Structures are given as structure tokens and as C-alpha cells.
Amino acid sequence: MDASFKKLLDISKELALLGYAQGVLGWDEQVNMPATGAPARAEAGAYLAQKAHEILASPQVGELLEKLSGWEKAKAPDSFEGASIRRMRRNYDKAVKIPAELVAEMSRASSEGFQTWLAARQEKSFRIFAPKLQRLVELQRQAAQALGYEKEPYDALLDLFEEGMKAALVEGVFQKLEAGLMPLVQAVAQHLERVDDRFLRGSFSEEDQWKLNLEALDFIGFDRERGRLDRSAHPFTSGFYPGDVRLTTRFGDTLTSALFSTLHEGGHGLYEQGLPAEWWGTPVGEASSLGMHESQSRLWENVVGRSRPFWERFRARVTHYFPELEERSVEDFYRAVNRVEMSLIRVEADELTYNLHIFLRFRLERQMINGQLEVKDLPEVWNQAVKETWGRAPTHDGEGVLQDVHWSGTSMGYFPSYTFGNIYSLQLVETARREEEVARGMEAGDFQPLGKWMREQIHKRAGLYSGMELLEKVTGRGPDPQPYLAYLRTKYQEIYGF
Ligand code: ZN
């Protein structure tokens, strides 16, 4: 092995070890730590982040990458060596382009932004938050300038989350999806009363729900010997190592609220468990992209967990713990978990209307970053757009422009990943179903072949490709909303009968 490449792998390992420590601290903070531990934890986390940044942005990494550029050309781009160098270069470039003072300033503005956002949401008043958001937008505009872009500043931020993604591409895909989605939403909106989920509301023992959730993880193939499930205020997944994957869930006001959180995080967890352990700590030892990660969570949460064959199999497990639901048929469960509500709150949105929330956020943050929308005008523009799409405006900023945590930090460019996750998941399923065994399994409620296919095609390839490259390699084309639209159309036309 080339000596410079070996050195690069050593540095990557060092970064992974720091990341490992940060991951464990972060998990512990959300699962176990008393709130009074926060000051020390924040300091420890910032220290590790600073160390990692120093190592990654060091001149030594720059020199190694320089030295390796000739050697790299002799390697295939999707070989372990070629992909490792490319990924390391991408991380290095981003780390050195943003000046240290700007990184520090963004970190400060994020913590202040978060605290102010909490207070503003409590008071339901955007005006309290506006000055902080103004500052956050300015800083992210500076970051976009520092990172560089061809067409528009927002492209630089998008690329942080999904390599190669461009705002014009996002808008094009979103327009196609929206054009197909709106007639469906309008048709369902006329018949909302046709689906009833009241039997899922009420009081259900959390202890029994817990057991049910563990069974759900077993059912989708999550290996609980190599991971675990805990509770936290906001569900999340931390993959420390393929043999140690932590998931969290939370109980909500319906019986299936925790179940779908668990299935969602379980999908993320399957990806993390499926990464090759021998690549751990190398530049390619991670998932290909956030959008691809989200395709796996949404696959198990929605495409599987909200399917009829899943309920044909899983209903008996639910009624085992909750015999009071014995009179409810598979059909009752299937319809109830697919009930459309037209919620104005993104995190409570159903599968059909979820993406409408993303279209709105993407378009507004793109305009803010590109300097076409003033922060002070945001609530008015938000409320107007919501009224046009949902038929009613938010009654206050808390259920409007202040509802999401994302804009209280420096995450602009992240929202589109959610919808791309949905789109990718159906493109992958369409491709996977060409295999007889996968298709037959999915009809029969046996999702093992589907899980195996994802492991081979997606998980095992880890970071050899960017998300969009992997999508194209596996499905033969780039982001295409048609399979997703066809799936939604079939499902909701049947359930709502129009
Ligand atoms: Zn997710």
C-alpha cells in the first residue's frame, strides 16, 4: 500500500475515534444525562469537535491529498482507494474553505438561536426570533460564499447534505411531484371522514408497547444483539460501529406513534448495522448520504409499516398485547394507520401530505439564502403559502413558521433530504421488486428478502458512492418521483375510494 495512503487512513481512523467519542457523549446526553450536566457536556463536545477540525484541516492532510492525486487516478473511482481519497478530499476542502472564526461564530449563533427559538415558540411570536434568524441567514450566506458555487449560494449549502445536489434539480423534481400530488390531496380532502383511527387513541400500557416495539425491530431484521433501543424526547439513531447501533423512540398519543418512530429509526439502524465492519474508521466506512439514509428509514416506516401485508402479519402481535383491540380487523388497522389529516404541523403530517411541508420550507430557505426574501417578511409569506395549499392559515407562529428546530441552527439545505428519502425509497423498491423473491415476500408480509436486497445493494456499499451516484448505479437513473407518485396514487385511491 502506498505510504501516503496508509497515512491518510491513519488520520481518518483518528477522526473516527474522536467521532466515536462524540457520538457516545451525544447519545448519553439525550438518553441518560441529567439536564444539570449540560454545561460540562457542551464543553466536552466542543473540545472534541475542535480537535477533529484541527486534524482534518491540517496542512498535512492537504499535502497527502496532493501527493496522492496521481496515484488516485490509477484507481477506479469506486474502488476502496479511489473512493476513500475522494471522500477525504471532499471533507478536507469543506473544512479548510470555511474560516475558523466563521465556524466558531456559527456555533455560537446556533446555540443562541436555539435558546431564542425555544422562547419565541413558547410565546408564539416570530418577532422574538427574527433578529437571531437574520444573523443565522447572514452567517450561512457567508459560509456559502466561502464554500463556493456555480449558480446560486443555496447550492453550496445543499451540497453539504447531499453531494452534487443543486437547487434547480430539487425544484424540478419537486414540481413534478407536486403536480401529481395536489390532485390526490384535493380528492382525499373531500373524504377525510372515510377513515377512522379513534380506536388507536387512548391509554395503552407503555410497558406492553415497549415489548411490541422490540418485536417490530426483530420483525424487520434489526439485530438487537448488536444494538439497542432506548427512550428519548426526540427519536434518533446513532451508529457508533456496525456492531453497536443505538436507536431511540418516544411514546405519543396514539398506540402506533411509538411503533412508527421505532420502525423509522429501525430503518436507519439497519443501514448502520449493514455497513462493512472492516471499513469502520476509513473515509468510506459511512453511509453514502443523508438522503439515502432517509430512504431506508422511510422504507420501513411507510412502505413496509403502513402496508396491508405488514398488518396481516403484525395485527396478531398488537392484539396479543392489547386484547381490547381483538375486534379490529386487518383492514381497520391498515386504514387507520394511513389516515390523512392535513395537519399544519410537519412532524404530525401523514405520508400523503408530508412532502407539501418540505416544498414550502425548501422554497423559503432557498429565497432567504439567495437574498430574495427578507427575514422580516417570512411569516407573512409562510402563512399565505400555507393558506393556498392547506386551505387554512396557521392561527399563530407556533404552528406556523416557528414549528421546526432546523432554522434555529445552521441546517439550511437539509429539508430536501426528507423528500428525497421518500423518492429514493420507492425507486429502490421498484427495482428490488424485479426480483421474484422480493416481490413475492412483500405480498406475503415476509420482508426478509427486501431487507437482504437493501443490505447487498445499499448498505454494504457504504460510502463508495455519493447518494445520487448510488441511486443511479442501483436503479439506472437519477431522482425520479414517478414510482413514489404511482405508489401514493394506488394506495390512497383505494383507501379513500375515489
Ligand atoms: Zn430519519
Side-chain angles (χ1 to χ4, degrees), residues 93-298:
D93 283 346
K94 294 208 187 297
V96 293
K97 276 182 182 165
I98 304 186
E101 313 85 72
L102 181 54
V103 174
E105 186 60 23
M106 283 168 79
S107 157
R108 257 196 307 278
S110 292
S111 21
E112 286 175 23
F114 179 67
Q115 294 306 328
T116 312
W117 169 75
L118 284 177
R121 198 178 55 160
Q122 181 84 22
E123 297 292 322
K124 301 169 181 166
S125 165
F126 178 74
R127 259 191 297 167
I128 299 173
F129 179 53
K132 299 292 179 196
L133 180 59
Q134 180 71 47
R135 181 75 187 132
L136 285 161
V137 169
E138 276 162 23
L139 291 171
Q140 288 174 99
R141 283 168 57 90
Q142 286 176 28
Q145 294 302 334
L147 289 164
Y149 53 84
E150 277 170 30
K151 288 236 164 66
E152 55 184 276
Y154 186 73
D155 282 347
L157 303 184
L158 265 180
D159 190 81
L160 292 173
F161 301 103
E162 196 72 12
E163 188 176 354
M165 192 64 86
K166 300 275 185 279
L169 172 71
V170 177
E171 180 58 37
V173 171
F174 281 10
Q175 275 179 21
K176 276 190 216 156
L177 181 55
E178 192 176 27
L181 206 49
M182 284 316 291
L184 261 180
V185 171
Q186 280 150 6
V188 169
Q190 320 248 318
H191 305 293
L192 288 179
E193 75 296 342
R194 288 188 183 168
V195 174
D196 183 7
D197 71 347
R198 273 170 300 181
F199 69 94
L200 294 177
R201 294 168 192 275
S203 161
F204 297 95
S205 139
E206 290 188 355
E207 203 185 323
D208 287 331
Q209 280 197 58
W210 189 255
K211 291 179 196 154
L212 183 69
N213 277 262
L214 294 180
E215 284 200 31
L217 287 178
D218 294 343
F219 184 75
I220 67 170
F222 180 82
D223 183 354
R224 288 195 288 121
E225 304 271 303
R226 299 194 303 136
R228 53 179 287 134
L229 179 69
D230 290 273
R231 293 173 66 163
S232 68
H234 302 283
F236 68 98
T237 297
S238 274
F240 302 151
Y241 171 71
D244 187 359
V245 178
R246 313 291 177 94
L247 316 176
T248 69
T249 194
R250 69 164 164 210
F251 297 108
D253 52 7
T254 71
L255 173 58
T256 46
S257 159
L259 179 69
F260 286 114
S261 282
T262 300
L263 286 170
H264 181 98
E265 301 307 330
H268 283 305
L270 284 172
Y271 199 163
E272 292 294 319
Q273 287 191 331
L275 297 170
E278 65 275 20
W279 285 354
W280 182 71
T282 73
V284 296
E286 303 172 337
S288 60
S289 79
L290 281 170
M292 194 53 83
H293 228 304
E294 203 61 20
S295 79
Q296 301 300 294
S297 56
R298 281 160 197 269

